[in-house]
Amino acid sequence: MTKITHQTPDASKVDIKENISSNSSDNQAFTDVARSYLSRRKMVGGTLIGATAGFLAPAALAHDDERRRWRKRRKHPYGSRRNLVGFEPVSIEQAAVDQTMPTISEDYEYQVLIPWGTPIEPGATEEYTGDPNTRPTAKQAALQIGIGHDGMWFFPIDQDLGQKFNPYGYEMSNRKGMLCINHEFGTNNHVLGKPAPECLEDVRLSQNVHGVAVVAIAKEYYEWQVVKSKNSRRITANSPVCFSGPAAASPLLQNPNGNVALGTVNNCGSGPTPWGTYLTCEENFNGYFGATEGETFDDRRTEEQLRYGFDWNGFNYGWEFFDKRFDLSDEDYINESNRFGWVVEIDPFDASQTPVKRTAMGRFKHEAVAIKSSDAGQAVAYMGDDQRGDYCYKYVSARPWKEARADGESPLDEGTLYVARFDEDGTGEWLALDITTNSDLAARFTDQAELLIYTRIAADILGATKMDRPEWTAIGKEGEVYWTLTNNDRKDQGQGEQNAANPEFENTDGHIIRMDDGDGSGNTFQWDLYLLASSTRGTPGVFTDPDAAYADEEGRLFIGTDGGQPDGLQDQLVVFDTSKSTPDPQRLLVGVVSDEITGFTHTPDRRTAFVNVQHPGNGSPEATNFPASFDGTTIPRDATLVITNKRRGVIGS
Ligand code: FEO
Ligand code: CA
Ligand code: CA
Ligand code: CA
């Protein structure tokens, strides 16, 4: 048997390692700039936070046509008009009572749905319920809900039936649909019950709990449950996938041995398209690769491998010992790693569709994606690259998306990818990652395909602004864009930098940037610091490490956190009323010990929301046995919480 030399992978180590900066470019040292920026902001607004009244110009901002029509017909159909965010928040004391189970606002209730191991594919019956003495087989896992629940979206059944998708018109759309859900990661200890795989079957199990699930769910009587559907499916690290867009035919996506493209991994955040498909984002893909040759591999890494953070032992998954695809030192699979790091499009209503990796949207550690339509109808996608010192991107389709689709083309195959430069005066520029318009890019890359495969290097060349780990994006009521920057406390080690848009040194708590990008089609923007999370310390609404983000059409902003929270809190879901001049987070939910709260979606009427509890207890049954009540032995399982307001109001009211 192959000797495994890997160290024990524990979740905290994985988390640290995945965020280490690999950006050694010397873009914009802004230390002095940040100080002058901060003092100017304080002067202008009196206080940094909330200095933004009048910043957004609603008339100039885009609305999605459909949204505008619905709003005209029925303003605030179910919500309380008086208080956009009116629920009783969870107090710090309430959240401390029992951290083995979630704590929700007393105005709300939750139900647990689809924990890891729930059978979903047609014909699947085996269920994994957290027995510490066993694990699912690899084959069973490929027919079950995976682990590491993260980004997701609910696609109402009406869409599949061809009825006009209307959030208030059809009752059925609020009771039945396809839930697409990302399975970001599960450590070997959690999934296999041991630190390293010992055979190919172990690797296949690990691979099969990763990926995406598309699962039919329905509310029957009072409970949501999994229902049978020919459209339910699992997409794993071994499912067939294909490439489209400018880099699809690049030799850099082919291997000497000619193996077909398979799989998606580390599916972190996500986003729906305006045309009704699901986009899943591949984040820390580098961690699944290793080199069986050992440490010496690191000395001969290419510039590109270094920039994307590959090294000989990855995140200690050990896949490379039994599956050559993931062995960086195997010359037969020299370009396999280039096949990951993409945005992948999935049709929720066609299980026979091959997931498509959209190369025009660039290759980086894609966190999530939020799309709006420009005034001319182009698809505008906002995307973060989550690493210390990495960048904010947007993609703008060349044609109006409806026109492209009418011609049988994807709006995500032809367009321009940009990276953001944030200037100290509150403006910014979108720099086009286009080989035809920049001689430095033309000098570095053979063609646009190579540029897209090594997007990060192209962005370095253009002088993008280094950020404190860009996570999710959310599009607000007026078309404004919220960017969560989760944290960065390694600036003293040269990872990232202090600049106007990332002013804290060290930034242990993270922040949220608000951007006015007009209708999204231009190449300049305005931005402001919506909130420094450190400013919430000592207040009842304290939270840090903003990560998952979603904004509803009435002006509520939902933020899920990922990181050690102050005051004994666990990770949480907080809600903002963005119409208030001073951000005022209200705590809707607190998760269980050592988990992360992530993903957010809802039924069309917004009276039912879905939120994920990821890596409860970091997989340790001694910490929590969620969703089981505490017994100290049952393996905790990632799961989705279905959240409803007891007064039947919209979520967040
Ligand atoms: Fe998967 Fe950046 O969180
Ligand atoms: Ca995240
Ligand atoms: Ca995170
Ligand atoms: Ca995570």
Side-chain angles (χ1 to χ4, degrees), residues 136-156:
T137 63
K139 197 174 161 197
Q140 288 166 353
L143 306 174
Q144 296 171 339
I145 288 289
I147 202 168
H149 296 36
D150 205 309
M152 58 185 162
W153 197 253
F154 177 80
F155 295 89

mmCIF file of all heavy atoms in Angstrom, residues 136-156:
data_model
loop_
_atom_site.group_PDB
_atom_site.id
_atom_site.type_symbol
_atom_site.label_atom_id
_atom_site.label_comp_id
_atom_site.label_asym_id
_atom_site.label_seq_id
_atom_site.Cartn_x
_atom_site.Cartn_y
_atom_site.Cartn_z
ATOM 1 N N PRO A 136 -20.985 6.235 4.836
ATOM 2 C CA PRO A 136 -21.585 5.726 3.609
ATOM 3 C C PRO A 136 -20.502 5.132 2.703
ATOM 4 O O PRO A 136 -19.324 5.487 2.836
ATOM 5 C CB PRO A 136 -22.200 6.974 2.956
ATOM 6 C CG PRO A 136 -21.776 8.151 3.757
ATOM 7 C CD PRO A 136 -21.081 7.694 4.977
ATOM 8 N N THR A 137 -20.884 4.238 1.814
ATOM 9 C CA THR A 137 -19.934 3.812 0.781
ATOM 10 C C THR A 137 -19.830 4.948 -0.234
ATOM 11 O O THR A 137 -20.702 5.837 -0.291
ATOM 12 C CB THR A 137 -20.428 2.550 0.052
ATOM 13 O OG1 THR A 137 -21.650 2.881 -0.630
ATOM 14 C CG2 THR A 137 -20.685 1.403 1.029
ATOM 15 N N ALA A 138 -18.796 4.899 -1.061
ATOM 16 C CA ALA A 138 -18.633 5.929 -2.099
ATOM 17 C C ALA A 138 -19.853 5.934 -3.016
ATOM 18 O O ALA A 138 -20.355 6.995 -3.410
ATOM 19 C CB ALA A 138 -17.360 5.681 -2.898
ATOM 20 N N LYS A 139 -20.348 4.734 -3.333
ATOM 21 C CA LYS A 139 -21.490 4.620 -4.238
ATOM 22 C C LYS A 139 -22.752 5.230 -3.614
ATOM 23 O O LYS A 139 -23.507 5.947 -4.281
ATOM 24 C CB LYS A 139 -21.717 3.129 -4.551
ATOM 25 C CG LYS A 139 -22.568 2.888 -5.764
ATOM 26 C CD LYS A 139 -22.618 1.402 -6.092
ATOM 27 C CE LYS A 139 -23.821 1.154 -6.994
ATOM 28 N NZ LYS A 139 -24.185 -0.254 -7.036
ATOM 29 N N GLN A 140 -22.952 4.951 -2.338
ATOM 30 C CA GLN A 140 -24.112 5.548 -1.653
ATOM 31 C C GLN A 140 -23.987 7.070 -1.612
ATOM 32 O O GLN A 140 -24.960 7.794 -1.849
ATOM 33 C CB GLN A 140 -24.212 5.008 -0.217
ATOM 34 C CG GLN A 140 -24.659 3.559 -0.146
ATOM 35 C CD GLN A 140 -24.418 2.948 1.235
ATOM 36 O OE1 GLN A 140 -23.807 3.565 2.110
ATOM 37 N NE2 GLN A 140 -24.890 1.717 1.424
ATOM 38 N N ALA A 141 -22.779 7.550 -1.320
ATOM 39 C CA ALA A 141 -22.575 8.997 -1.181
ATOM 40 C C ALA A 141 -22.906 9.746 -2.472
ATOM 41 O O ALA A 141 -23.368 10.889 -2.440
ATOM 42 C CB ALA A 141 -21.138 9.291 -0.764
ATOM 43 N N ALA A 142 -22.689 9.088 -3.606
ATOM 44 C CA ALA A 142 -22.955 9.737 -4.894
ATOM 45 C C ALA A 142 -24.455 9.884 -5.162
ATOM 46 O O ALA A 142 -24.850 10.551 -6.126
ATOM 47 C CB ALA A 142 -22.300 8.950 -6.023
ATOM 48 N N LEU A 143 -25.287 9.256 -4.330
ATOM 49 C CA LEU A 143 -26.743 9.359 -4.484
ATOM 50 C C LEU A 143 -27.366 10.130 -3.317
ATOM 51 O O LEU A 143 -28.582 10.188 -3.175
ATOM 52 C CB LEU A 143 -27.364 7.951 -4.549
ATOM 53 C CG LEU A 143 -26.807 6.998 -5.604
ATOM 54 C CD1 LEU A 143 -27.413 5.598 -5.450
ATOM 55 C CD2 LEU A 143 -27.080 7.528 -7.006
ATOM 56 N N GLN A 144 -26.503 10.687 -2.462
ATOM 57 C CA GLN A 144 -26.979 11.382 -1.255
ATOM 58 C C GLN A 144 -26.564 12.854 -1.274
ATOM 59 O O GLN A 144 -25.651 13.240 -2.002
ATOM 60 C CB GLN A 144 -26.329 10.748 -0.008
ATOM 61 C CG GLN A 144 -26.698 9.302 0.237
ATOM 62 C CD GLN A 144 -25.849 8.691 1.356
ATOM 63 O OE1 GLN A 144 -24.767 9.188 1.670
ATOM 64 N NE2 GLN A 144 -26.343 7.599 1.938
ATOM 65 N N ILE A 145 -27.208 13.624 -0.409
ATOM 66 C CA ILE A 145 -26.749 14.983 -0.123
ATOM 67 C C ILE A 145 -25.306 14.909 0.369
ATOM 68 O O ILE A 145 -24.973 14.045 1.188
ATOM 69 C CB ILE A 145 -27.663 15.618 0.953
ATOM 70 C CG1 ILE A 145 -29.041 15.945 0.367
ATOM 71 C CG2 ILE A 145 -27.035 16.851 1.577
ATOM 72 C CD1 ILE A 145 -29.070 17.112 -0.611
ATOM 73 N N GLY A 146 -24.454 15.806 -0.145
ATOM 74 C CA GLY A 146 -23.056 15.827 0.260
ATOM 75 C C GLY A 146 -22.852 16.586 1.561
ATOM 76 O O GLY A 146 -23.787 16.816 2.333
ATOM 77 N N ILE A 147 -21.603 16.981 1.791
ATOM 78 C CA ILE A 147 -21.248 17.662 3.036
ATOM 79 C C ILE A 147 -20.820 19.101 2.692
ATOM 80 O O ILE A 147 -20.686 19.453 1.529
ATOM 81 C CB ILE A 147 -20.124 16.873 3.754
ATOM 82 C CG1 ILE A 147 -20.088 17.188 5.251
ATOM 83 C CG2 ILE A 147 -18.773 17.115 3.093
ATOM 84 C CD1 ILE A 147 -19.205 16.223 6.044
ATOM 85 N N GLY A 148 -20.619 19.933 3.705
ATOM 86 C CA GLY A 148 -20.098 21.279 3.461
ATOM 87 C C GLY A 148 -21.105 22.177 2.765
ATOM 88 O O GLY A 148 -20.757 22.950 1.863
ATOM 89 N N HIS A 149 -22.360 22.119 3.220
ATOM 90 C CA HIS A 149 -23.438 22.913 2.622
ATOM 91 C C HIS A 149 -23.030 24.389 2.550
ATOM 92 O O HIS A 149 -22.671 24.990 3.564
ATOM 93 C CB HIS A 149 -24.706 22.815 3.474
ATOM 94 C CG HIS A 149 -25.308 21.443 3.557
ATOM 95 N ND1 HIS A 149 -24.567 20.292 3.608
ATOM 96 C CD2 HIS A 149 -26.611 21.052 3.611
ATOM 97 C CE1 HIS A 149 -25.379 19.243 3.685
ATOM 98 N NE2 HIS A 149 -26.632 19.676 3.692
ATOM 99 N N ASP A 150 -23.118 24.983 1.372
ATOM 100 C CA ASP A 150 -22.698 26.388 1.234
ATOM 101 C C ASP A 150 -23.711 27.150 0.380
ATOM 102 O O ASP A 150 -24.913 27.122 0.684
ATOM 103 C CB ASP A 150 -21.262 26.436 0.689
ATOM 104 C CG ASP A 150 -20.546 27.719 1.085
ATOM 105 O OD1 ASP A 150 -21.103 28.808 0.872
ATOM 106 O OD2 ASP A 150 -19.418 27.636 1.619
ATOM 107 N N GLY A 151 -23.288 27.804 -0.693
ATOM 108 C CA GLY A 151 -24.223 28.574 -1.522
ATOM 109 C C GLY A 151 -25.348 27.698 -2.047
ATOM 110 O O GLY A 151 -25.179 26.490 -2.223
ATOM 111 N N MET A 152 -26.522 28.303 -2.268
ATOM 112 C CA MET A 152 -27.652 27.524 -2.804
ATOM 113 C C MET A 152 -28.667 28.475 -3.441
ATOM 114 O O MET A 152 -28.607 29.689 -3.251
ATOM 115 C CB MET A 152 -28.304 26.681 -1.712
ATOM 116 C CG MET A 152 -28.814 27.474 -0.548
ATOM 117 S SD MET A 152 -29.433 26.377 0.760
ATOM 118 C CE MET A 152 -29.429 27.547 2.102
ATOM 119 N N TRP A 153 -29.586 27.892 -4.194
ATOM 120 C CA TRP A 153 -30.684 28.671 -4.738
ATOM 121 C C TRP A 153 -31.909 27.784 -4.917
ATOM 122 O O TRP A 153 -31.781 26.613 -5.286
ATOM 123 C CB TRP A 153 -30.314 29.354 -6.066
ATOM 124 C CG TRP A 153 -31.289 30.466 -6.373
ATOM 125 C CD1 TRP A 153 -32.264 30.464 -7.312
ATOM 126 C CD2 TRP A 153 -31.382 31.725 -5.683
ATOM 127 N NE1 TRP A 153 -32.971 31.649 -7.256
ATOM 128 C CE2 TRP A 153 -32.448 32.436 -6.266
ATOM 129 C CE3 TRP A 153 -30.679 32.309 -4.629
ATOM 130 C CZ2 TRP A 153 -32.824 33.703 -5.827
ATOM 131 C CZ3 TRP A 153 -31.051 33.574 -4.194
ATOM 132 C CH2 TRP A 153 -32.116 34.253 -4.798
ATOM 133 N N PHE A 154 -33.079 28.364 -4.635
ATOM 134 C CA PHE A 154 -34.349 27.648 -4.781
ATOM 135 C C PHE A 154 -34.989 28.048 -6.111
ATOM 136 O O PHE A 154 -35.232 29.230 -6.357
ATOM 137 C CB PHE A 154 -35.284 28.010 -3.620
ATOM 138 C CG PHE A 154 -36.649 27.376 -3.701
ATOM 139 C CD1 PHE A 154 -36.836 26.053 -3.315
ATOM 140 C CD2 PHE A 154 -37.746 28.096 -4.157
ATOM 141 C CE1 PHE A 154 -38.107 25.464 -3.387
ATOM 142 C CE2 PHE A 154 -39.017 27.513 -4.234
ATOM 143 C CZ PHE A 154 -39.193 26.191 -3.849
ATOM 144 N N PHE A 155 -35.246 27.060 -6.969
ATOM 145 C CA PHE A 155 -35.878 27.300 -8.268
ATOM 146 C C PHE A 155 -37.306 26.764 -8.210
ATOM 147 O O PHE A 155 -37.512 25.549 -8.156
ATOM 148 C CB PHE A 155 -35.085 26.605 -9.378
ATOM 149 C CG PHE A 155 -33.701 27.173 -9.553
ATOM 150 C CD1 PHE A 155 -32.624 26.669 -8.832
ATOM 151 C CD2 PHE A 155 -33.476 28.243 -10.424
ATOM 152 C CE1 PHE A 155 -31.355 27.208 -8.973
ATOM 153 C CE2 PHE A 155 -32.202 28.784 -10.568
ATOM 154 C CZ PHE A 155 -31.140 28.267 -9.842
ATOM 155 N N PRO A 156 -38.303 27.660 -8.204
ATOM 156 C CA PRO A 156 -39.687 27.208 -8.019
ATOM 157 C C PRO A 156 -40.156 26.345 -9.191
ATOM 158 O O PRO A 156 -39.735 26.534 -10.325
ATOM 159 C CB PRO A 156 -40.477 28.513 -7.936
ATOM 160 C CG PRO A 156 -39.619 29.534 -8.590
ATOM 161 C CD PRO A 156 -38.198 29.104 -8.369
#
